[in-house]
Amino acid sequence: MKSWLFWAGISFIVGGVVSLALNLGATQTPSFSEDLSGYAIGWMLVGAILIVIGSMKKKNPTEK
């Protein structure tokens, strides 16, 4: 079974993709304070880092 860091990374990526899609799907041009593209990309990067850390983490010998 994968580490909780791996699954947390997946959830950050999903959240970032949804946030970016909502931002890009807006019908009006958002103001600077409403433009969350940078934050969405940041959440996806955090998710990717967590997935890498979770994948590299060693399994316990007793864990199956």
Side-chain angles (χ1 to χ4, degrees):
M1 182 163 192
K2 295 282 185 187
S3 166
W4 67 270
L5 287 172
F6 178 84
W7 297 112
I10 295 288
S11 66
F12 273 97
I13 288 178
V14 169
V17 168
V18 169
S19 177
L20 186 62
L22 289 172
N23 193 27
L24 294 177
T27 56
Q28 296 179 342
T29 305
S31 68
F32 179 74
S33 63
E34 295 172 332
D35 186 19
L36 301 176
S37 300
Y39 291 113
I41 293 169
W43 287 122
M44 289 186 274
L45 290 174
V46 167
I49 291 169
L50 287 174
I51 288 173
V52 169
I53 292 172
S55 296
M56 290 177 16
K57 191 175 179 182
K58 291 183 180 179
K59 277 186 165 183
N60 283 336
T62 57
E63 186 180 337
K64 291 186 178 187

